[in-house]
Amino acid sequence: MLAFSKRNALEILRDPLNLFFGLGFPIILLLLLSAIQANIPVALFEIGRLAPGIAVFGLSFMTLFSATLIARDRGTSFLQRLYTTPLTARDFILGYLLPILPIGLSQSVICYVAAALLGLRVTVRLLPAILFTLPVALLFIALGLLCGSIFTDKQVGGICGALLTNLTAWLSGIWFDLKLVGDAFQKIANLLPFVHAVELERSALLGDYASAFRNFWWVLGYAVIITFLAVLAFLRQMKKQ
Amino acid sequence: MDAIKTLGLTKKYKNLTAVDSLDLSVRQGELVALLGVNGAGKTTTIKMLTGLTRPTSGDALLNGKSVLTDLPAVKKMIAVSPQETAVAPGLTVKENLRLMAGVHSLPGDTGRVARLIDRFDLHEVADKRAGKLSGGWQRRLSIAMALVTDPQILFLDEPTLGLDVLARRRLWDMISALKGKMTVILTTHYMEEAETLSDRVAVMKSGRLLLTGTAEELKRQTGTEKFDEAFLRIVKEV
């Protein structure tokens, strides 16, 4: 399983587009919005509120990475070749999920380091904030496993690259206050995990652990359910192959 | 003991019988070419023999191990080079070979990878990413990946499909060098390839096995001088 995990990590890290969207793009957003904030102060874009949002938004690209990798493997005979080896279904699922977690974690660390350089106060609270990105990363990676097991690599580009990243952005309260759109929008957003992921990070950074854990259970619940669905979808396509 | 023995091996998909009561024996070290027009059931047969799909009825024994009841043991002794390119595009040639060693829990840094690079003359591309290689190189790598484990039984599904004459001849030499060292099942649409490489051929049509024998035997039986004419006569007459 380790050899397969290593291969998956290398495939992701060697794709320059992944590096740009995974690392470069969130940092560019952080710089851009901080520059705007310096000229026209907006409470939402203060670095303490902005950095957790960007950390979560950056993790939404993990869905694109994992879904593209799996869909591409399914589109060639590569997976079929591996299905004839002693690797088990468990090896495949963990082999896809696990190597992307440290990539997500590293991305969050880089995001917070960039935020610190832009004025975020460096306190011990950064540590739990970074650790709390793990369930968020799992949620997005599992979404990728689910989409990659169902859609082709071309479909994945549109669904995970455009639709999901936009949904994450709109329904998370990173870019605008959800109250501004109305009660119905806010209620829908609150039923989904994205806003809870951002609030989890913001609360952890403020040291408000009661709020952090309220949001943590939402995120973890979604992560577990989506992981379960992703495993079912992967096993189904494995059987079909 | 036969390397491969199928016993009434059958695969049905709803109303279609893809493979119909196949009884085929392949001796140890033999290279058998599985021939047939599209839809003959060659790929489905290979899928059943390699555990990719479960037979509807019947069984297949690979060195005495059943694909129904002892699939993990079967998987340890086989290797497959699929029809399409089956390499990890972002990994180098060396890393692809190491990956195959790794998934079989074998050390990839002994002499194993170096030997395969020598054997398949992959030196000039050893550190290049597989996705950047030409079709001929990728196919060569794909077969080398199948040999990382020194399998007892090797399945080559259309190994030279789409390659130019030079690349095809080069692969033929490499496949010929495997003869006697392991049991090889080869599917191909190129009659010349089957005639040149195989010890025996097995002709399938509509899921059924029509004939087995050497290329010479099939030519004699059909009264033809060329092997492709013999093949055509067999599949048209039955």
Side-chain angles (χ1 to χ4, degrees):
Chain A
M1 197 265 279
L2 269 179
F4 182 58
S5 300
K6 189 181 164 194
R7 173 263 168 179
N8 293 334
L10 284 175
E11 289 275 5
I12 290 171
L13 292 172
R14 284 182 179 171
D15 187 335
L17 274 179
N18 285 350
L19 289 182
F20 173 72
F21 281 105
L23 296 176
F25 191 52
I27 291 174
I28 289 170
L29 283 176
L30 207 55
L31 288 169
L32 190 70
L33 292 167
S34 298
I36 294 171
Q37 167 70 14
N39 292 314
I40 313 158
V42 182
L44 196 66
F45 294 157
E46 282 167 10
I47 196 72
R49 283 180 67 76
L50 181 65
I54 299 285
V56 170
F57 181 64
L59 288 173
S60 71
F61 289 100
M62 298 298 133
T63 304
L64 181 64
F65 299 169
S66 56
T68 306
L69 180 67
I70 296 159
R72 269 191 200 152
D73 284 351
R74 280 177 51 232
T76 67
S77 296
F78 182 70
L79 261 189
Q80 219 173 65
R81 153 171 257 151
L82 293 182
Y83 289 157
T84 64
T85 68
L87 288 179
T88 61
R90 178 179 154 273
D91 293 329
F92 282 108
I93 290 160
L94 292 179
Y96 278 123
L97 286 177
L98 294 183
I100 312 178
L101 273 177
I103 296 175
L105 198 64
S106 310
Q107 187 200 53
S108 306
V109 170
I110 291 169
C111 181
Y112 279 120
V113 168
L117 294 173
L118 291 168
L120 181 73
R121 272 187 62 207
V122 179
T123 68
V124 74
R125 288 171 189 162
L126 270 173
L127 198 63
I130 288 168
L131 286 177
F132 275 129
T133 60
L134 278 173
V136 183
L138 177 65
L139 166 74
F140 284 116
I141 297 165
L143 263 173
L145 181 61
L146 180 65
C147 294
S149 302
I150 297 171
F151 303 114
T152 65
D153 57 339
K154 280 184 186 164
Q155 291 169 327
V156 154
I159 291 165
C160 301
L163 188 65
L164 192 89
T165 44
N166 274 303
L167 277 180
T168 309
W170 300 336
L171 294 161
S172 60
I174 303 170
W175 312 117
F176 50 83
D177 192 336
L178 296 174
K179 283 179 204 153
L180 296 175
V181 191
D183 272 358
F185 188 83
Q186 195 179 11
K187 274 181 189 161
I188 292 168
N190 280 327
L191 287 172
L192 293 168
F194 311 116
V195 69
H196 297 287
V198 174
E199 287 308 316
L200 164 64
E201 284 298 295
R202 283 176 178 162
S203 307
L205 217 50
L206 289 170
D208 181 356
Y209 294 109
S211 166
F213 273 100
R214 256 197 322 275
N215 290 294
F216 170 78
W217 295 120
W218 271 93
V219 175
L220 190 69
Y222 264 99
V224 169
I225 291 167
I226 289 168
T227 304
F228 178 71
L229 292 176
V231 168
L232 289 184
F234 186 82
L235 292 177
R236 190 170 161 267
Q237 70 77 31
M238 195 175 170
K239 204 175 166 189
K240 266 171 85 179
Q241 288 242 354
Chain B
M1 184 172 57
D2 287 321
I4 299 172
K5 190 170 181 62
T6 69
L7 308 159
L9 196 67
T10 302
K11 183 69 190 180
K12 290 181 179 172
Y13 296 102
K14 290 180 184 167
N15 298 326
L16 174 82
T17 303
V19 176
D20 192 1
S21 296
L22 181 73
D23 290 308
L24 174 72
S25 295
V26 179
R27 291 185 289 273
Q28 306 260 5
E30 203 176 17
L31 194 156
V32 172
L34 217 48
L35 302 181
V37 291
N38 288 338
K42 305 182 300 285
T43 300
T44 309
T45 300
I46 288 194
K47 281 187 172 180
M48 286 191 282
L49 294 176
T50 55
L52 279 173
T53 189
R54 200 175 162 81
T56 310
S57 62
D59 197 357
L61 305 176
L62 279 77
N63 285 333
K65 307 285 183 192
S66 160
V67 294
L68 293 178
T69 58
D70 211 354
L71 193 56
V74 168
K75 283 185 171 184
K76 280 184 187 163
M77 68 173 88
I78 64 164
V80 185
S81 178
Q83 196 177 101
E84 296 162 43
T85 306
V87 298
L91 301 193
T92 66
V93 166
K94 263 187 206 162
E95 286 168 343
N96 266 285
L97 294 169
R98 284 192 195 125
L99 166 70
M100 292 313 289
V103 298
H104 283 91
S105 307
L106 296 168
D109 53 354
T110 53
R112 194 180 295 273
V113 168
R115 276 199 302 275
L116 279 164
I117 286 173
D118 270 344
R119 194 158 148 195
F120 282 81
D121 202 11
L122 291 162
H123 291 283
E124 64 179 281
V125 294
D127 294 311
K128 286 191 179 157
R129 290 196 193 166
K132 306 273 181 200
L133 302 179
S134 68
W137 282 113
Q138 287 195 359
R139 209 57 71 83
R140 223 191 280 188
L141 169 62
S142 189
I143 297 176
M145 285 167 74
L147 293 173
V148 166
T149 56
D150 292 322
Q152 295 169 43
I153 303 171
L154 173 67
F155 295 91
L156 299 174
D157 197 2
E158 308 261 5
T160 64
L161 185 73
L163 296 186
D164 62 43
V165 182
L166 203 69
R168 183 176 300 155
R169 289 293 165 118
R170 216 173 265 160
L171 266 184
W172 283 7
D173 291 341
M174 287 163 187
I175 295 167
S176 284
L178 303 173
K179 285 172 80 169
K181 292 177 186 157
M182 61 188 68
T183 307
V184 182
I185 298 287
L186 166 97
T187 73
T188 181
H189 278 113
Y190 301 115
M191 293 302 122
E192 193 193 351
E193 183 165 294
E195 191 178 9
T196 308
L197 294 176
S198 62
D199 298 312
R200 271 194 310 144
V201 295
V203 184
M204 291 182 76
K205 186 184 177 185
S206 306
R208 286 174 42 239
L209 181 66
L210 300 183
L211 271 174
T212 59
T214 64
E216 286 305 317
E217 282 169 354
L218 297 194
K219 280 194 277 188
R220 256 200 319 274
Q221 278 181 37
T222 52
T224 53
E225 286 190 1
K226 290 184 177 170
F227 182 62
D228 52 355
E229 285 171 8
F231 172 75
L232 282 174
R233 195 160 287 182
I234 293 164
V235 292
K236 274 184 180 170
E237 278 180 3
V238 184

